[in-house]
Amino acid sequence: MTQKIEFIDLKAQYRALKDAIDARIHKVLNHGQYIMGPEVRELEERLEDYTGAKHCITVASGTEALLISLMALGIGPGDEVITTPFTFVATAEVIVLLGAVPVFVDIEPDTCNIDASKIEAAITPKTKAIMPVSLYGQPADMDEINAIAERYGLPVIEDAAQSFGATYKGKKSCNLSTIGCTSFFPSKPLGCYGDGGAIFTTDDVLAKACREIRVHGQKRRYYHTRIGVGGRMDTLQCAIVLAKLERFDWEIEQRMKLGARYNQLLDKHGYQRVKQRNDRTSVFAQYTVFVENRDAIAKQLNEQGIPTAVHYPVPLNRQPAYKDICHGTVTAVAERVAKQVMSLPMGPDLAESDQQRIVAALSEAVKIGGF
C-alpha cells in the first residue's frame, strides 16, 4: 500500500522540538499560572522583537485578533469595511458580528490577494477600515493599500493569519499597517497546539484598547471601561509557541526552499500556480495550484496517498450567510479561481523525495483529469 504523505507533518515537527516543548509545558504545569502567566508576556516581547512592531497583544485566536482590532477601532453598526471575498470566513465574520458591512473587492488572478487597484472605487462615506488578507503566506500590495488608506484617513488591518514570518519590501508581515493580526492555529507557519493569535501595532492608544478588550474591557480588575470579550491566549499555548520559535527561522527557510522547488518543477511542465511577487516573500502557508476537473485530480492523488485541500471553494459573497448582507459583489476573478484552486502538501519537514512524488503524481493525474 502506498504510504500516505502528511498534508502538513506536525508530528515530525514535534519530534524535532520534543525536549523544548515538553520542558516549556512542564514549567507551566509546575508554576500553575494557566491564565496570563509569565510566558504570555515573554512571548509578546519575543514577537515584538521579531516583527519590529512596538506592541504585541496575544489573544485567544486569529479570529479574536480581528474582532478585538475592529472593536478597538470603534467599528460598529452601519460602518463598512473593505476586504476580500477570497479568504477564510473569519475575515468577514468579525465585521458582521459588530453590525458592520463587509464590502468585497475582487482579487488578483495570479496571487489571489485583494486587487489594490480596485479598492478606491469601493470607498464610501461609510467606509471605516480596509482589511487586506495576506493569502497563502504572501502579503498583499501593502504600499498601495496604505497610500489609499492615508488619502481617506482610514486604518488598515492586515489579516496575516497565514503569513507570519513573511516580509514585504524588507519589513515583516504584521508590522506593515495600522494593525496586523495573526493566528497560531496548529497548521499555521507558527502554530500552537490549540487556538491562539496575536495583534500587532505601533499605536499606543490602540494597543491599550486591545489589551483591555481582551480581558472583558477591564482597565483594572473588576473595573470595566469598555465593552470587551474573553480573548486571552492560554499560558500553555504561549509556552508552546515559545518553544517553536527555537527553529522558526529554519522552518521559514525550508518553506521558501520547498516553495521555490515546487515553482521550478511545476513551471517546467507549464502548470498554473499562485505566483509570488519579487518585492516580498511567502512563507507558503499553503502551496496552491490552479486546476480544471479538480475533484477528479484530487481523487487520483488521494488514491496514491497524497492529500489535497481547497482554500477556498466558495467566495464569501456567495456564502448563504453573507450573500444578502455584503456589498461589492462583482467578484468574477474570485469566483473563477474558487473553482480551480487546489493546495498540495507543504511544510518545513516535507522531504524532497516526497515533493518529487507529489509532482509526478500530479502530472499523471493531469493527463487523466486535465489541468
Side-chain angles (χ1 to χ4, degrees):
M1 185 175 179
T2 304
Q3 184 175 1
K4 183 178 179 180
I5 295 172
E6 297 286 342
F7 189 73
I8 176 170
D9 197 345
L10 296 178
K11 290 176 286 188
Q13 183 194 53
Y14 173 65
R15 288 193 295 270
L17 290 166
K18 185 180 187 304
D19 290 346
I21 290 172
D22 290 356
R24 281 284 188 174
I25 289 173
H26 283 289
K27 185 177 179 181
V28 176
L29 295 176
N30 285 324
H31 68 54
Q33 298 177 57
Y34 301 117
I35 302 297
M36 300 303 289
E39 286 79 6
V40 174
R41 187 60 197 142
E42 182 184 354
L43 177 61
E44 290 173 346
E45 290 173 350
R46 290 282 300 277
L47 297 182
E48 287 164 358
D49 289 342
Y50 184 83
T51 61
K54 185 177 181 181
H55 301 284
C56 171
I57 303 97
T58 54
V59 292
S61 68
T63 304
E64 209 77 17
L66 295 172
L67 179 66
I68 291 171
S69 296
L70 290 172
M71 293 174 71
L73 290 166
I75 305 296
D79 294 338
E80 294 179 351
V81 178
I82 293 173
T83 190
T84 168
F86 195 66
T87 178
F88 183 61
V89 70
T91 309
E93 182 177 58
V94 293
I95 298 168
V96 176
L97 282 171
L98 294 175
V101 177
V103 176
F104 293 119
V105 168
D106 210 356
I107 61 173
E108 297 173 332
D110 55 350
T111 69
C112 295
N113 276 327
I114 192 169
D115 189 335
S117 69
K118 297 180 179 178
I119 289 176
E120 192 163 13
I123 295 174
T124 75
K126 294 182 179 180
T127 305
K128 293 298 184 289
I130 303 171
M131 190 188 294
V133 176
S134 297
L135 198 70
Y136 300 143
Q138 175 181 215
D141 295 327
M142 297 303 292
D143 277 0
E144 291 85 344
I145 293 168
N146 286 333
I148 294 166
E150 187 175 358
R151 285 200 295 273
Y152 290 87
L154 299 171
V156 176
I157 304 169
E158 182 196 10
D159 181 344
Q162 299 178 15
S163 62
F164 193 82
T167 61
Y168 175 84
K169 298 184 178 179
K171 290 187 67 176
K172 287 280 175 40
S173 178
C174 290
N175 188 28
L176 302 174
S177 55
T178 315
I179 298 176
C181 297
T182 199
S183 168
F184 301 128
F185 187 79
S187 62
K188 302 300 184 187
L190 182 61
C192 56
Y193 288 159
D195 275 317
I199 300 165
F200 298 84
T201 185
T202 57
D203 187 305
D204 295 344
V205 174
L206 285 176
K208 182 175 184 290
C210 289
R211 287 197 177 96
E212 292 180 2
I213 291 168
R214 76 168 169 183
V215 287
H216 302 284
Q218 292 184 127
K219 183 176 182 179
R220 60 180 184 270
R221 190 167 175 81
Y222 298 134
Y223 186 76
H224 305 269
T225 56
R226 61 183 87 232
I227 304 299
V229 297
R232 300 161 301 200
M233 185 171 171
D234 296 344
T235 307
L236 275 168
Q237 299 301 340
C238 289
I240 290 163
V241 176
L242 280 165
K244 288 193 175 189
L245 278 172
E246 290 192 9
R247 75 163 197 165
F248 186 58
D249 286 342
W250 176 85
E251 289 190 3
I252 295 301
E253 183 181 334
Q254 290 301 111
R255 284 179 174 274
M256 290 180 181
K257 284 181 179 178
L258 288 162
R261 191 162 185 268
Y262 260 139
N263 289 348
Q264 183 180 31
L265 292 169
L266 292 169
D267 290 350
K268 181 180 178 181
H269 293 285
Y271 297 156
Q272 299 301 306
R273 58 174 175 84
V274 171
K275 298 293 177 64
Q276 292 79 45
R277 298 279 189 256
N278 292 329
D279 60 354
R280 66 206 73 172
T281 63
S282 175
V283 291
F284 295 99
Q286 291 87 27
Y287 189 91
T288 304
V289 296
F290 302 109
V291 297
E292 303 296 340
N293 300 318
R294 182 171 61 202
D295 290 347
I297 290 175
K299 182 175 182 292
Q300 180 79 4
L301 291 174
N302 189 59
E303 288 173 353
Q304 297 184 54
I306 300 169
T308 61
V310 178
H311 308 94
Y312 298 91
V314 181
L316 298 187
N317 55 316
R318 294 292 180 256
Q319 295 283 357
Y322 294 88
K323 63 181 181 180
D324 295 328
I325 57 174
C326 59
H327 295 171
T329 55
V330 180
T331 55
V333 177
E335 291 178 38
R336 183 180 76 248
V337 302
K339 299 174 183 176
Q340 299 172 327
V341 289
M342 185 179 74
S343 297
L344 303 174
M346 184 62 178
D349 295 290
L350 179 66
E352 286 193 6
S353 58
D354 283 338
Q355 190 177 32
Q356 190 72 46
R357 178 181 149 198
I358 291 163
V359 174
L362 177 63
S363 298
E364 185 61 30
V366 165
K367 295 176 184 176
I368 298 171
F371 200 92

